[in-house]
Amino acid sequence: MNALSLAVRDSNTMLRRNLLHALRYPSMTLNLLLTPIMLLLFVYVFGGVMSAGIGGGGADRSEYIAYLVPGLLMMTIGSTVIGAAISVSMDMTEGLIARFRTMAVYRGSVLVGHVVGSVLQVLASLVLVGAIAVAIGFRSTDATALEWLAAFGLIALFTLALAWIAVGMGMASPNPEAAGNMAMPLILLPLISSAFVPIDAIPGWFQVLSPSACRSQYSASSGSPRCRQARARPQRTPMKSCSPPSRGSASSTP
């Protein structure tokens, strides 16, 4: 067997190890249920109040669902990859990495197993959140099947990037508690964005910390009401110059 096949075999073994840990210790995967609970909470408890800021005060819960779901999907990714940071930190502090170094194991297989396992957990959580969103009324009439597939691929790439960031946080943390605290901004960043309320409803002094409505990397969605409103706004036209024409360009009249 060549080096590539050995690396794939060892990475597959570490992936099975992480998935078995997720099944045997469900407390590490309870955050999969956090975002669906938040979705139901914001739609049916706060939806009637928070949807008043959409569409000039006349929006209902169905329109707020279309506004809320993209931001919650991004929040699901951040809340799930924290488990990868904690798991890596546990392996580092409990001496498991030092034990693997004495064995004929591909060095990067442990990290690859954590990353791939975290991506699979995130995708499962996204499917759960998406199914609940569709069940309570989320619809998209503008996007085609190809666009949905492209969006899913983009989300998978974004999840992969955040998983590697979480793994790096776990390696740099002295203990699992510090790893969880270091990765906490991955959950908190959507809360200061336009994921839950329009950017116009946020106080002016706080808008400096919040991304714009259609350029937020956590909440932007081409089919959401916030972007439709932004596209419907009239564009400013440049003012015409009022300076008199030059003497050389003026035409003489008889």
Side-chain angles (χ1 to χ4, degrees):
M1 299 179 67
N2 53 16
L4 180 60
S5 59
L6 291 175
V8 172
R9 184 196 63 181
D10 295 340
S11 300
N12 188 25
T13 301
M14 296 302 169
L15 174 61
R16 292 201 308 269
R17 167 183 172 267
N18 292 327
L19 295 180
L20 287 176
H21 279 187
L23 293 176
R24 293 176 181 176
Y25 303 98
S27 60
M28 296 293 293
T29 56
L30 285 179
N31 53 2
L32 297 177
L33 302 177
L34 175 63
T35 311
I37 294 176
M38 290 186 61
L39 176 61
L40 298 175
L41 179 67
F42 274 95
V43 171
Y44 290 106
V45 178
F46 305 120
V49 177
M50 300 183 72
S51 62
I54 305 176
D60 54 2
R61 281 190 174 90
S62 61
E63 190 172 358
Y64 186 64
I65 293 174
Y67 184 93
L68 181 67
V69 168
L72 279 181
L73 290 179
M74 297 298 101
M75 196 171 181
T76 302
I77 300 175
S79 62
T80 308
V81 297
I82 290 182
I86 298 175
S87 299
V88 171
S89 181
M90 291 177 62
D91 291 344
M92 297 288 292
T93 56
E94 293 178 358
L96 186 63
I97 300 298
R99 187 180 305 173
F100 282 150
R101 288 175 180 173
T102 62
M103 303 171 61
V105 178
Y106 176 63
R107 290 182 177 271
S109 61
V110 180
L111 301 182
V112 172
H114 281 292
V115 169
V116 177
S118 179
V119 170
L120 293 179
Q121 292 182 25
V122 169
L123 295 181
S125 181
L126 291 177
V127 170
L128 177 61
V129 174
I132 295 177
V134 171
I136 63 178
F138 177 75
R139 297 293 185 271
S140 178
T141 58
D142 300 332
T144 62
L146 184 60
E147 290 174 346
W148 275 109
L149 185 61
F152 188 80
L154 183 61
I155 290 176
L157 292 177
F158 183 72
T159 303
L160 181 64
L162 278 189
W164 278 111
I165 294 175
V167 166
M169 291 178 178
M171 296 179 64
S173 302
N175 50 63
E177 291 79 9
N181 294 332
M182 187 180 296
M184 191 60 64
L186 299 179
I187 299 179
L188 299 180
L189 283 178
L191 296 177
I192 63 173
S193 69
S194 57
F196 300 101
V197 293
I199 197 71
D200 297 334
I202 301 177
W205 61 268
F206 197 75
Q207 291 182 8
V208 180
L209 302 177
S210 301
S212 60
C214 287
R215 295 180 182 178
S216 174
Q217 62 178 348
Y218 287 95
S219 307
S221 172
S222 60
S224 61
R226 76 191 74 174
C227 292
R228 291 199 299 266
Q229 293 173 5
R231 288 195 296 265
R233 294 174 182 173
Q235 301 294 329
R236 293 184 178 179
T237 57
M239 296 180 62
K240 296 182 179 180
S241 176
C242 296
S243 58
S246 59
R247 184 176 300 176
S249 62
S251 59
S252 60
T253 57

mmCIF file with all atom_site columns, all heavy atoms in Angstrom, residues 3-15:
data_model
loop_
_atom_site.group_PDB
_atom_site.id
_atom_site.type_symbol
_atom_site.label_atom_id
_atom_site.label_alt_id
_atom_site.label_comp_id
_atom_site.label_asym_id
_atom_site.label_entity_id
_atom_site.label_seq_id
_atom_site.pdbx_PDB_ins_code
_atom_site.Cartn_x
_atom_site.Cartn_y
_atom_site.Cartn_z
_atom_site.occupancy
_atom_site.B_iso_or_equiv
_atom_site.pdbx_formal_charge
_atom_site.auth_seq_id
_atom_site.auth_comp_id
_atom_site.auth_asym_id
_atom_site.auth_atom_id
_atom_site.pdbx_PDB_model_num
ATOM 1  N N   . ALA A 1 3  ? 1.506   5.548  0.345  1.00 0.00 ? 3  ALA A N   1
ATOM 2  C CA  . ALA A 1 3  ? 1.275   6.464  1.466  1.00 0.00 ? 3  ALA A CA  1
ATOM 3  C C   . ALA A 1 3  ? -0.138  7.043  1.438  1.00 0.00 ? 3  ALA A C   1
ATOM 4  O O   . ALA A 1 3  ? -0.750  7.248  2.495  1.00 0.00 ? 3  ALA A O   1
ATOM 5  C CB  . ALA A 1 3  ? 2.309   7.585  1.427  1.00 0.00 ? 3  ALA A CB  1
ATOM 6  N N   . LEU A 1 4  ? -0.665  7.308  0.247  1.00 0.00 ? 4  LEU A N   1
ATOM 7  C CA  . LEU A 1 4  ? -2.007  7.890  0.156  1.00 0.00 ? 4  LEU A CA  1
ATOM 8  C C   . LEU A 1 4  ? -3.073  6.932  0.663  1.00 0.00 ? 4  LEU A C   1
ATOM 9  O O   . LEU A 1 4  ? -3.982  7.318  1.408  1.00 0.00 ? 4  LEU A O   1
ATOM 10 C CB  . LEU A 1 4  ? -2.292  8.294  -1.284 1.00 0.00 ? 4  LEU A CB  1
ATOM 11 C CG  . LEU A 1 4  ? -3.666  8.927  -1.547 1.00 0.00 ? 4  LEU A CG  1
ATOM 12 C CD1 . LEU A 1 4  ? -3.838  10.188 -0.723 1.00 0.00 ? 4  LEU A CD1 1
ATOM 13 C CD2 . LEU A 1 4  ? -3.842  9.202  -3.034 1.00 0.00 ? 4  LEU A CD2 1
ATOM 14 N N   . SER A 1 5  ? -2.976  5.685  0.273  1.00 0.00 ? 5  SER A N   1
ATOM 15 C CA  . SER A 1 5  ? -3.968  4.701  0.730  1.00 0.00 ? 5  SER A CA  1
ATOM 16 C C   . SER A 1 5  ? -3.883  4.489  2.237  1.00 0.00 ? 5  SER A C   1
ATOM 17 O O   . SER A 1 5  ? -4.914  4.317  2.903  1.00 0.00 ? 5  SER A O   1
ATOM 18 C CB  . SER A 1 5  ? -3.760  3.380  -0.009 1.00 0.00 ? 5  SER A CB  1
ATOM 19 O OG  . SER A 1 5  ? -2.459  2.871  0.227  1.00 0.00 ? 5  SER A OG  1
ATOM 20 N N   . LEU A 1 6  ? -2.670  4.538  2.796  1.00 0.00 ? 6  LEU A N   1
ATOM 21 C CA  . LEU A 1 6  ? -2.538  4.411  4.247  1.00 0.00 ? 6  LEU A CA  1
ATOM 22 C C   . LEU A 1 6  ? -3.148  5.611  4.963  1.00 0.00 ? 6  LEU A C   1
ATOM 23 O O   . LEU A 1 6  ? -3.793  5.454  6.010  1.00 0.00 ? 6  LEU A O   1
ATOM 24 C CB  . LEU A 1 6  ? -1.060  4.270  4.621  1.00 0.00 ? 6  LEU A CB  1
ATOM 25 C CG  . LEU A 1 6  ? -0.380  2.953  4.217  1.00 0.00 ? 6  LEU A CG  1
ATOM 26 C CD1 . LEU A 1 6  ? 1.109   2.995  4.549  1.00 0.00 ? 6  LEU A CD1 1
ATOM 27 C CD2 . LEU A 1 6  ? -1.041  1.764  4.911  1.00 0.00 ? 6  LEU A CD2 1
ATOM 28 N N   . ALA A 1 7  ? -2.953  6.792  4.401  1.00 0.00 ? 7  ALA A N   1
ATOM 29 C CA  . ALA A 1 7  ? -3.535  7.992  5.014  1.00 0.00 ? 7  ALA A CA  1
ATOM 30 C C   . ALA A 1 7  ? -5.052  7.942  4.965  1.00 0.00 ? 7  ALA A C   1
ATOM 31 O O   . ALA A 1 7  ? -5.733  8.305  5.941  1.00 0.00 ? 7  ALA A O   1
ATOM 32 C CB  . ALA A 1 7  ? -3.015  9.241  4.304  1.00 0.00 ? 7  ALA A CB  1
ATOM 33 N N   . VAL A 1 8  ? -5.607  7.475  3.852  1.00 0.00 ? 8  VAL A N   1
ATOM 34 C CA  . VAL A 1 8  ? -7.067  7.365  3.746  1.00 0.00 ? 8  VAL A CA  1
ATOM 35 C C   . VAL A 1 8  ? -7.594  6.324  4.718  1.00 0.00 ? 8  VAL A C   1
ATOM 36 O O   . VAL A 1 8  ? -8.639  6.532  5.364  1.00 0.00 ? 8  VAL A O   1
ATOM 37 C CB  . VAL A 1 8  ? -7.458  7.023  2.294  1.00 0.00 ? 8  VAL A CB  1
ATOM 38 C CG1 . VAL A 1 8  ? -8.940  6.712  2.194  1.00 0.00 ? 8  VAL A CG1 1
ATOM 39 C CG2 . VAL A 1 8  ? -7.092  8.173  1.354  1.00 0.00 ? 8  VAL A CG2 1
ATOM 40 N N   . ARG A 1 9  ? -6.884  5.212  4.852  1.00 0.00 ? 9  ARG A N   1
ATOM 41 C CA  . ARG A 1 9  ? -7.332  4.168  5.775  1.00 0.00 ? 9  ARG A CA  1
ATOM 42 C C   . ARG A 1 9  ? -7.313  4.657  7.215  1.00 0.00 ? 9  ARG A C   1
ATOM 43 O O   . ARG A 1 9  ? -8.286  4.463  7.973  1.00 0.00 ? 9  ARG A O   1
ATOM 44 C CB  . ARG A 1 9  ? -6.437  2.944  5.627  1.00 0.00 ? 9  ARG A CB  1
ATOM 45 C CG  . ARG A 1 9  ? -6.877  1.746  6.470  1.00 0.00 ? 9  ARG A CG  1
ATOM 46 C CD  . ARG A 1 9  ? -5.762  0.727  6.572  1.00 0.00 ? 9  ARG A CD  1
ATOM 47 N NE  . ARG A 1 9  ? -4.590  1.274  7.264  1.00 0.00 ? 9  ARG A NE  1
ATOM 48 C CZ  . ARG A 1 9  ? -3.459  0.590  7.478  1.00 0.00 ? 9  ARG A CZ  1
ATOM 49 N NH1 . ARG A 1 9  ? -3.345  -0.641 7.002  1.00 0.00 ? 9  ARG A NH1 1
ATOM 50 N NH2 . ARG A 1 9  ? -2.460  1.144  8.129  1.00 0.00 ? 9  ARG A NH2 1
ATOM 51 N N   . ASP A 1 10 ? -6.230  5.326  7.622  1.00 0.00 ? 10 ASP A N   1
ATOM 52 C CA  . ASP A 1 10 ? -6.150  5.826  8.992  1.00 0.00 ? 10 ASP A CA  1
ATOM 53 C C   . ASP A 1 10 ? -7.185  6.929  9.249  1.00 0.00 ? 10 ASP A C   1
ATOM 54 O O   . ASP A 1 10 ? -7.779  6.991  10.334 1.00 0.00 ? 10 ASP A O   1
ATOM 55 C CB  . ASP A 1 10 ? -4.745  6.357  9.275  1.00 0.00 ? 10 ASP A CB  1
ATOM 56 C CG  . ASP A 1 10 ? -3.704  5.252  9.237  1.00 0.00 ? 10 ASP A CG  1
ATOM 57 O OD1 . ASP A 1 10 ? -4.082  4.072  9.379  1.00 0.00 ? 10 ASP A OD1 1
ATOM 58 O OD2 . ASP A 1 10 ? -2.510  5.574  9.045  1.00 0.00 ? 10 ASP A OD2 1
ATOM 59 N N   . SER A 1 11 ? -7.405  7.793  8.273  1.00 0.00 ? 11 SER A N   1
ATOM 60 C CA  . SER A 1 11 ? -8.405  8.851  8.443  1.00 0.00 ? 11 SER A CA  1
ATOM 61 C C   . SER A 1 11 ? -9.802  8.259  8.566  1.00 0.00 ? 11 SER A C   1
ATOM 62 O O   . SER A 1 11 ? -10.627 8.739  9.356  1.00 0.00 ? 11 SER A O   1
ATOM 63 C CB  . SER A 1 11 ? -8.343  9.825  7.266  1.00 0.00 ? 11 SER A CB  1
ATOM 64 O OG  . SER A 1 11 ? -7.065  10.427 7.171  1.00 0.00 ? 11 SER A OG  1
ATOM 65 N N   . ASN A 1 12 ? -10.088 7.208  7.800  1.00 0.00 ? 12 ASN A N   1
ATOM 66 C CA  . ASN A 1 12 ? -11.384 6.538  7.905  1.00 0.00 ? 12 ASN A CA  1
ATOM 67 C C   . ASN A 1 12 ? -11.560 5.903  9.273  1.00 0.00 ? 12 ASN A C   1
ATOM 68 O O   . ASN A 1 12 ? -12.660 5.922  9.855  1.00 0.00 ? 12 ASN A O   1
ATOM 69 C CB  . ASN A 1 12 ? -11.493 5.491  6.795  1.00 0.00 ? 12 ASN A CB  1
ATOM 70 C CG  . ASN A 1 12 ? -12.885 4.888  6.714  1.00 0.00 ? 12 ASN A CG  1
ATOM 71 O OD1 . ASN A 1 12 ? -13.858 5.524  7.131  1.00 0.00 ? 12 ASN A OD1 1
ATOM 72 N ND2 . ASN A 1 12 ? -12.989 3.684  6.189  1.00 0.00 ? 12 ASN A ND2 1
ATOM 73 N N   . THR A 1 13 ? -10.483 5.343  9.829  1.00 0.00 ? 13 THR A N   1
ATOM 74 C CA  . THR A 1 13 ? -10.559 4.758  11.169 1.00 0.00 ? 13 THR A CA  1
ATOM 75 C C   . THR A 1 13 ? -10.855 5.822  12.222 1.00 0.00 ? 13 THR A C   1
ATOM 76 O O   . THR A 1 13 ? -11.686 5.617  13.117 1.00 0.00 ? 13 THR A O   1
ATOM 77 C CB  . THR A 1 13 ? -9.240  4.049  11.491 1.00 0.00 ? 13 THR A CB  1
ATOM 78 O OG1 . THR A 1 13 ? -8.982  3.031  10.511 1.00 0.00 ? 13 THR A OG1 1
ATOM 79 C CG2 . THR A 1 13 ? -9.294  3.410  12.868 1.00 0.00 ? 13 THR A CG2 1
ATOM 80 N N   . MET A 1 14 ? -10.187 6.968  12.115 1.00 0.00 ? 14 MET A N   1
ATOM 81 C CA  . MET A 1 14 ? -10.437 8.045  13.073 1.00 0.00 ? 14 MET A CA  1
ATOM 82 C C   . MET A 1 14 ? -11.832 8.629  12.909 1.00 0.00 ? 14 MET A C   1
ATOM 83 O O   . MET A 1 14 ? -12.459 9.043  13.887 1.00 0.00 ? 14 MET A O   1
ATOM 84 C CB  . MET A 1 14 ? -9.383  9.142  12.907 1.00 0.00 ? 14 MET A CB  1
ATOM 85 C CG  . MET A 1 14 ? -7.975  8.687  13.225 1.00 0.00 ? 14 MET A CG  1
ATOM 86 S SD  . MET A 1 14 ? -7.845  8.043  14.914 1.00 0.00 ? 14 MET A SD  1
ATOM 87 C CE  . MET A 1 14 ? -6.212  7.308  14.869 1.00 0.00 ? 14 MET A CE  1
ATOM 88 N N   . LEU A 1 15 ? -12.340 8.641  11.682 1.00 0.00 ? 15 LEU A N   1
ATOM 89 C CA  . LEU A 1 15 ? -13.709 9.107  11.475 1.00 0.00 ? 15 LEU A CA  1
ATOM 90 C C   . LEU A 1 15 ? -14.705 8.189  12.156 1.00 0.00 ? 15 LEU A C   1
ATOM 91 O O   . LEU A 1 15 ? -15.652 8.663  12.811 1.00 0.00 ? 15 LEU A O   1
ATOM 92 C CB  . LEU A 1 15 ? -13.997 9.204  9.977  1.00 0.00 ? 15 LEU A CB  1
ATOM 93 C CG  . LEU A 1 15 ? -15.437 9.547  9.592  1.00 0.00 ? 15 LEU A CG  1
ATOM 94 C CD1 . LEU A 1 15 ? -15.847 10.897 10.149 1.00 0.00 ? 15 LEU A CD1 1
ATOM 95 C CD2 . LEU A 1 15 ? -15.596 9.516  8.078  1.00 0.00 ? 15 LEU A CD2 1
#
